[in-house]
Amino acid sequence: FFGGKVSDLNITLKFLQKYSPPIPPLGFNHNLAYIPPSILSFVLVNLVSFKTGSSSSRKLPLMENDKQEVTKIKAEFDEEGVYFYQAFKPSIADFAVANQRFGGDDFNPSRMTWIKPSFAWVLYRSGYATKSDQERILKIKISHEAVSAILAACVCPEGGATHPPTPIAASSTRSSCGRSRGVVQWDPARDITRFDPKNTKVPRRLLRERAIQIGVQGGLSEFYVGSALSIEDVTELAREVGAAHGQKRERDCEDAMRAISNLPIEREYEALLQVEHKLRLGLVPGEAADRIAQIGRGRVK
């Protein structure tokens, strides 16, 4: 093909296997792959550099998108909606669970509040439901449309936004988001399965994963509050995890965690957002995604 070494050929084949889409079965060897002209041209040009030594790294360069890390929202969700977690004082939690809506004398629907789809993160923030006014953990489900409306009305500090995004009102939601903006914050994720070796009182910190937190206030907070489809008290589960993470030995912690059968299953969630909103929040390759990828690995420039 190009008269190079076997090792050079292996690199080429691995590259083609990664970037070449398979073709439908046509009655011949299915290991064959169709190579689009753009990719073929890219490979041949770089093979020349690789073979002649003109490339300083002597490695086949990656394509543009392969260099960028993209943050992913991880959450528990079903066909109806997405689950978020919040920590409250007992009086607010009691009212919300009993009435399946937020309210009561101690609750302010427009105050600044943070919602998190990561159970591990709310445990970290609330100290496993032990901190003052955070003794109860609630699991709130809101519709997919409401999640998208809230995210579309948010800015992200790492995204460089200097003004509120245009608010949108989803016709299938119960109310408009108003003109209030929210804030999306990405932090190093937390591992629900084990404690942090540097601090056994918190879930383990994951430097290479990000967890999203969404801050809402004013009209946007009221919209979130009015979008609750169900409210469940998961305080006991939070304390079970806290007890497991409180074990002195990692093996004992693992055994205790295996005994907990009702942990949430959080997986990658794709919000129904326009590309411009995804770019701003770092959900697709771009400047915001690059800056978010630096979180936990040193100062973000």
Side-chain angles (χ1 to χ4, degrees):
F1 174 54
F2 62 93
K5 298 178 181 178
V6 174
S7 58
D8 297 353
L9 179 60
N10 286 337
I11 293 174
T12 307
L13 292 176
K14 288 180 180 179
F15 181 89
L16 293 177
Q17 184 179 32
K18 180 175 182 180
Y19 289 105
S20 300
I23 60 175
L26 295 175
F28 52 85
N29 191 341
H30 293 178
N31 291 325
L32 296 177
Y34 165 70
I35 306 173
S38 59
I39 291 181
L40 182 59
S41 175
F42 173 84
V43 174
L44 292 176
V45 168
N46 285 287
L47 278 177
V48 173
S49 299
F50 183 86
K51 187 181 176 186
T52 59
S54 60
S55 172
S56 58
S57 64
R58 292 284 292 173
K59 294 181 179 179
L60 215 57
L62 298 175
M63 284 191 164
E64 183 70 19
N65 289 346
D66 210 40
K67 297 178 183 179
Q68 295 181 304
E69 296 186 41
V70 177
T71 47
K72 298 289 185 181
I73 297 174
K74 286 190 174 180
E76 182 183 4
F77 58 92
D78 56 25
E79 293 183 358
E80 190 178 33
V82 185
Y83 292 97
F84 288 85
Y85 299 93
Q86 286 186 273
F88 292 100
K89 62 169 61 177
S91 60
I92 294 177
D94 287 338
F95 182 97
V97 173
N99 296 276
Q100 285 298 291
R101 64 178 179 84
F102 289 103
D105 295 337
D106 294 333
F107 185 74
N108 180 356
S110 61
R111 68 182 290 272
M112 180 68 176
T113 188
W114 291 87
I115 61 177
K116 311 166 184 68
S118 168
F119 188 47
W121 246 97
V122 77
L123 298 186
Y124 168 67
R125 281 299 190 195
S126 67
Y128 303 97
T130 61
K131 294 182 179 180
S132 177
D133 291 338
Q134 299 184 61
E135 300 94 339
R136 300 280 290 282
I137 308 295
L138 298 185
K139 182 178 183 178
I140 303 103
K141 180 195 278 190
I142 65 175
S143 70
H144 298 287
E145 292 80 6
V147 173
S148 298
I150 291 170
L151 288 173
C154 287
V155 294
C156 179
E158 288 78 18
T162 57
H163 56 82
T166 302
I168 62 173
S171 59
S172 57
T173 55
R174 302 177 189 176
S175 62
S176 170
C177 290
R179 291 193 173 276
S180 299
R181 71 175 179 179
V183 179
V184 160
Q185 180 173 307
W186 295 96
D187 295 289
R190 295 281 168 172
D191 183 1
I192 192 68
T193 64
R194 62 188 64 186
F195 58 75
D196 196 304
K198 296 182 180 180
N199 182 357
T200 58
K201 297 181 180 180
V202 299
R204 184 169 67 101
R205 193 176 189 224
L206 301 174
L207 295 181
R208 294 189 174 275
E209 291 186 29
R210 309 285 171 261
I212 190 172
Q213 298 186 70
I214 307 171
V216 294
Q217 63 180 333
L220 192 59
S221 178
E222 293 174 5
F223 172 77
Y224 160 73
V225 167
S227 299
L229 300 177
S230 66
I231 303 175
E232 178 186 356
D233 190 336
V234 292
T235 306
E236 287 304 314
L237 177 61
R239 290 172 179 165
E240 284 186 59
V241 176
H245 287 188
Q247 299 294 326
K248 294 183 179 180
R249 297 191 307 171
E250 187 171 351
R251 178 177 296 179
D252 294 335
C253 173
E254 292 174 355
D255 292 340
M257 287 302 299
R258 277 195 289 268
I260 302 175
S261 59
N262 55 339
L263 288 173
I265 300 176
E266 296 169 3
R267 48 205 170 98
E268 288 186 6
Y269 176 72
E270 185 74 23
L272 306 172
L273 294 171
Q274 297 178 12
V275 174
E276 62 182 276
H277 299 144
K278 291 183 177 181
L279 277 169
R280 185 176 65 242
L281 301 180
L283 294 172
V284 293
E287 292 184 10
D290 287 344
R291 291 170 66 85
I292 293 167
Q294 298 177 44
I295 296 174
R297 304 182 193 177
R299 186 176 178 180
V300 178
K301 298 180 180 180

